[in-house]
Amino acid sequence: MSALPFDQRDGFIWMNGNLAAWKEAKLHVLSHGLHYASCVFEGERAYGGRIFKSAEHSERFRASAELLDFEIPYSVAELDRAKQLVVDKNNLPNCYVRPIAWRGSETMAVAAQNSTINIAIAVWDWPSMFDIEQKMQGIRLDIADYRRPDPMTAPARAKAAGLYMICTISKHRAERRGYADAIMLDWQGRVAECTGANIFFTAKGAIHTPIADCFLDGITRRTVIDLARRRGIEVIERRIMPEELSGLEECFISGTGAEVTPVSEAGAYKFTPGAISRAMIDDYSAEVRPKQKAA
Ligand code: PMP
């Protein structure tokens, strides 16, 4: 994988309807999206040349913008076509896909009703962790100080740039303390999610996961719930308090980037990655592969 900074790579980035040379895909320093966080984005992965659940991501992208009071000027079908074009043109059949939308430079004040809405789509290489034995060791999680905000305080269910401020701070703190990531509680002190992934636990053969009422309802999260139910595993969405973690057995996180990654430790609590985590890793990796059409 290239260690080049992201603005110095080669390839094509789709910007406002056209493919631009990677290094030319720039925005002005006076952009509303940068100053006032009027910016939403998506994170997706292509496997074998096809973007997994592309339309669901495009729908969420449009819904996030609506929560921030702006409209993405492309339909789901147009976004899906543009994303596929970027995957194809960059010749990256297995990659991460990043659509982003932001208010432009017409107005530099809190109110920016008539600013243009800019859209870009970039893709890059982001290998999945394939070594299953290494994966089954589990990652270690810190407990973040910041909490996911009350939906009365922020558009908590949008994938909005502004909501990542507390994620970056929390992840940096976790890394400095030797952890891979951090569990964030919500505004009521319940277990919510990690800084860029959702979280699951197991007890007595069932899966328990927080209700996604004040944080991002991950597309991987929904996929995992569906896969588990298809296997006949009971999935219970409920309020989970941090003190309860001592009674839970396995723990894993889910997200486009993380896919399904087991957890061995969260703060003072220990988990043992086991059969359910393994089954979800296997089912998820089978699910994301493009289906072979019958001849
Ligand atoms: N929560 C947060 C804060 C995230 O950034 C992500 C990654 N997009 C997720 C959850 C998981 O979402 P998804 O499964 O749709 O990638």
Side-chain angles (χ1 to χ4, degrees):
M1 193 175 53
S2 170
L4 274 177
F6 276 87
D7 57 353
Q8 289 170 34
R9 300 183 180 191
D10 287 314
F12 301 98
I13 292 177
W14 190 95
M15 254 183 113
N16 295 328
N18 300 302
L19 280 178
W22 188 287
K23 292 180 184 122
E24 304 309 316
K26 294 177 179 170
L27 73 159
H28 198 272
V29 68
L30 297 177
S31 293
H32 196 272
L34 178 65
H35 293 243
Y36 300 98
S38 52
C39 174
V40 298
F41 64 97
E42 267 306 316
E44 325 182 16
R45 271 186 192 270
Y47 297 90
R50 309 296 301 172
I51 298 168
F52 182 60
K53 298 201 169 171
S54 179
E56 253 179 77
H57 281 281
S58 295
E59 279 159 19
R60 188 172 71 182
F61 190 40
R62 290 181 51 86
S64 293
E66 239 165 73
L67 286 165
L68 266 68
D69 194 36
F70 68 86
E71 193 186 340
I72 297 207
Y74 297 96
S75 66
V76 167
E78 286 167 333
L79 290 166
D80 286 348
R81 272 198 298 278
K83 289 186 288 186
Q84 189 63 49
L85 178 71
V86 183
V87 170
D88 295 344
K89 284 284 179 194
N90 285 281
N91 198 20
L92 283 177
N94 300 295
C95 66
Y96 181 76
V97 183
R98 167 57 58 83
I100 183 157
W102 69 97
R103 284 190 188 274
S105 302
E106 290 79 4
T107 315
M108 286 303 292
V110 172
Q113 308 267 7
N114 299 318
S115 50
T116 51
I117 304 303
N118 296 274
I119 314 288
I121 303 167
V123 300
W124 58 82
D125 194 28
W126 184 0
S128 308
M129 197 207 277
F130 277 121
D131 184 338
I132 184 74
E133 297 315 322
Q134 194 193 334
K135 217 172 180 181
M136 289 302 290
Q137 302 282 306
I139 57 167
R140 296 174 58 242
L141 302 178
D142 197 3
I143 310 286
D145 283 340
Y146 279 110
R147 294 180 172 198
R148 305 304 309 175
D150 178 349
M152 301 288 279
T153 303
R157 301 190 62 185
K159 193 164 170 63
L163 291 169
Y164 283 87
M165 176 178 64
I166 54 174
C167 299
T168 298
I169 296 170
S170 302
K171 181 135 178 168
H172 284 182
R173 176 177 173 271
E175 286 180 350
R176 276 197 296 275
R177 288 154 52 96
Y179 295 95
D181 197 354
I183 289 186
M184 301 184 82
L185 306 180
D186 70 11
W187 59 288
Q188 292 180 306
R190 306 173 300 188
V191 172
E193 58 166 351
C194 289
T195 65
N198 294 115
I199 194 157
F200 292 84
F201 303 92
T202 76
K204 300 193 182 80
I207 290 179
H208 299 242
T209 194
I211 302 161
D213 57 3
C214 64
F215 56 84
L216 196 72
D217 181 8
I219 290 169
T220 319
R221 175 185 182 278
R222 290 186 225 146
T223 306
V224 165
I225 291 174
D226 180 40
L227 291 170
R229 288 183 176 149
R230 274 197 246 158
R231 260 193 190 249
I233 299 173
E234 186 185 6
V235 182
I236 304 160
E237 293 179 79
R238 64 175 182 90
R239 287 168 177 74
I240 301 174
M241 297 308 289
E243 312 79 75
E244 289 179 59
L245 299 190
S246 58
L248 299 169
E249 296 154 17
E250 297 180 44
C251 173
F252 58 88
I253 63 169
S254 76
T256 297
E259 301 179 311
V260 176
T261 299
V263 173
S264 59
E265 212 178 304
Y269 304 100
K270 303 270 187 275
F271 302 98
T272 311
I276 295 183
S277 304
R278 180 81 190 231
M280 291 302 105
I281 292 171
D282 290 346
D283 287 2
Y284 187 72
S285 62
E287 186 72 5
V288 296
R289 305 284 145 209
K291 306 280 176 290
Q292 301 296 331
K293 288 210 177 71

